[in-house]
Amino acid sequence: MTAVLTTEKTTVDGVAIEITYANEADARVSEDEVRAYLKRGYEKFPHGKIESLTLDVEGEDVGIHYGLAPVQFDRIRRITGYLVGTLDRFNDGKRAEERDRVKHAVPTCCC
C-alpha cells in the first residue's frame, strides 16, 4: 500500500467535518457514517455544542476528534457573606462595600 494523505472537508448539520485518509485504499466514510459519529458525540457530550469533527482513517481504524464550542460561565463571588454572580441586585451600600474592599496581591515567588 502506498501512503497518500488525502483530506476531504465538508459540513453536515452545521458541523465542520474533516476526514483524512492515510492510504489511497482506505474505504471512504459515507455521510451516514458521519451522522453516526455525530450522534455518538452528542451522546458523549450531552451539554456541549459540537463545532467540528475530525476523522483520521487508516485501514479499518478511525480516530475521532470532536471540537466543542467554548462554554460560557458566570463568575460567582462571595461578597459580604453572599454568593453572587453580578452586583446588579446590590444596593448602594453593598456596592460601596465591594468597591472599598482591600484586594491582596499573590506573591509570584518565595523569598
Side-chain angles (χ1 to χ4, degrees):
M1 256 189 235
T2 306
V4 177
L5 286 177
T6 58
T7 301
E8 296 176 1
K9 294 182 181 185
T10 186
T11 302
V12 175
D13 297 335
V15 177
I17 310 295
E18 183 175 310
I19 306 169
T20 302
Y21 300 97
N23 301 298
E24 189 176 311
D26 290 336
R28 296 304 187 236
V29 177
S30 70
E31 188 172 324
D32 288 339
E33 289 174 297
V34 169
R35 289 183 191 281
Y37 287 124
L38 287 174
K39 181 180 176 192
R40 176 186 180 272
Y42 293 131
E43 291 169 357
K44 187 173 180 177
F45 305 105
H47 302 293
K49 180 182 182 313
I50 298 175
E51 290 186 329
S52 65
L53 171 64
T54 303
L55 302 174
D56 297 320
V57 180
E58 185 171 0
E60 293 183 12
D61 297 327
V62 178
I64 308 166
H65 308 279
Y66 296 101
L68 301 177
V71 177
Q72 293 185 355
F73 65 93
D74 291 328
R75 177 180 175 190
I76 296 178
R77 302 179 291 173
R78 185 177 188 96
I79 300 174
T80 64
Y82 299 94
L83 291 175
V84 296
T86 63
L87 305 178
D88 59 341
R89 295 179 56 195
F90 274 23
N91 63 23
D92 292 340
K94 288 289 183 193
R95 288 176 199 240
E97 195 173 329
E98 191 279 333
R99 183 184 62 242
D100 295 340
R101 296 175 105 195
V102 175
K103 299 184 174 59
H104 301 281
V106 177
T108 57
C109 69
C110 301
C111 296

